[in-house]
Amino acid sequence: MRVGINATFLTARPSGAKNRFINIYIPFIKIAKHIKFVIFEPKNFSIKKNYKNIKNLTFVKTTISNEVRFAKIFYQYFYWQRILKKYKFDVFENFSFPTIKNSFGKTISTIHDLRFVQNFSSYFDRMLFKLTLCMSLNKNDFIFVVSNTIKNELSNFFPNKKIVTIFNSIPKRK
């Protein structure tokens, strides 16, 4: 089995999404030795140096910045289509939008918040991001959220879509 993970959201600053990724996914990758994982990093940040000795894990540096911009949405659409055709993943997980349908297997999205929809000052930008959200989430086989609040907000857009809450983990103290 081959699993691709779009981790182009990663930055140097602490965040719930980054903590979730490091505290849930990395330990899972270490124990799921029979699965080959490919993590796609943003062009301007890397966590690869912290996880060098995991045999079933490959990091790929993308040409995608971790900064949220309108142009990023359109660029990613074409970028991920090319990548999915090349790798033919059994499962592909998105942590950022737009979600691209994995025609070779399952598509998963993990949603941490919806503030990007509310944070844009112009009405046009908010509507465009809502449209992107709706189009993206319709392409998913599974949608995971980190709280019941987000689940309820998404249910307004997708009343018939199965949305599963998987709470963030608490980091292990060293």
Side-chain angles (χ1 to χ4, degrees):
M1 177 180 264
R2 296 171 41 91
V3 175
I5 301 172
N6 173 1
T8 58
F9 70 93
L10 290 171
T11 66
R13 72 179 185 279
S15 71
K18 184 176 178 182
N19 285 338
R20 179 184 186 87
F21 183 79
I22 291 169
N23 295 315
I24 292 177
Y25 287 90
I26 296 298
F28 177 70
I29 290 168
K30 288 179 180 178
I31 62 170
K33 296 178 193 288
H34 62 289
I35 300 173
K36 176 154 177 52
F37 292 89
V38 179
I39 296 175
F40 294 90
E41 296 181 309
K43 70 178 180 181
N44 52 341
F45 184 74
S46 179
I47 64 166
K48 179 180 180 176
K49 64 183 177 288
N50 300 320
Y51 306 101
K52 288 184 179 178
N53 297 320
I54 305 174
K55 301 221 184 291
N56 61 328
L57 176 58
T58 303
F59 286 90
V60 174
K61 184 64 78 175
T62 69
T63 57
I64 299 170
S65 169
N66 58 16
E67 299 169 10
V68 177
R69 292 200 174 112
F70 242 14
K72 179 181 176 181
I73 290 173
F74 298 108
Y75 175 75
Q76 281 193 84
Y77 178 77
F78 297 105
Y79 179 86
W80 291 118
Q81 281 188 336
R82 196 174 70 248
I83 290 295
L84 291 172
K85 191 179 285 189
K86 176 181 176 181
Y87 285 90
K88 295 178 172 67
F89 292 113
D90 298 299
V91 175
F92 185 72
E93 182 162 7
N94 297 281
F95 281 89
S96 61
F97 292 106
T99 297
I100 303 302
K101 178 74 174 155
N102 177 17
S103 58
F104 302 98
K106 299 293 183 189
T107 306
I108 300 171
S109 279
T110 297
I111 313 291
H112 295 89
D113 62 55
L114 295 175
R115 93 185 121 180
F116 62 87
V117 174
Q118 290 113 5
N119 279 353
F120 288 98
S121 57
S122 85
Y123 175 80
F124 175 76
D125 288 350
R126 283 193 307 276
M127 290 302 107
L128 191 56
F129 267 92
K130 282 183 182 180
L131 177 64
T132 302
L133 173 71
C134 290
M135 289 173 52
S136 290
L137 294 184
N138 276 326
K139 296 177 182 178
N140 285 274
D141 296 295
F142 302 99
I143 300 172
F144 299 135
V145 295
V146 300
S147 73
N148 288 329
T149 300
I150 297 167
K151 180 178 181 175
N152 293 336
E153 288 177 15
L154 279 177
S155 293
N156 292 329
F157 291 107
F158 304 99
N160 299 322
K161 196 83 157 163
K162 183 167 179 164
I163 301 169
V164 177
T165 303
I166 302 175
F167 298 101
N168 281 337
S169 67
I170 299 171
K172 183 178 176 183
R173 290 194 164 194
K174 295 181 181 188

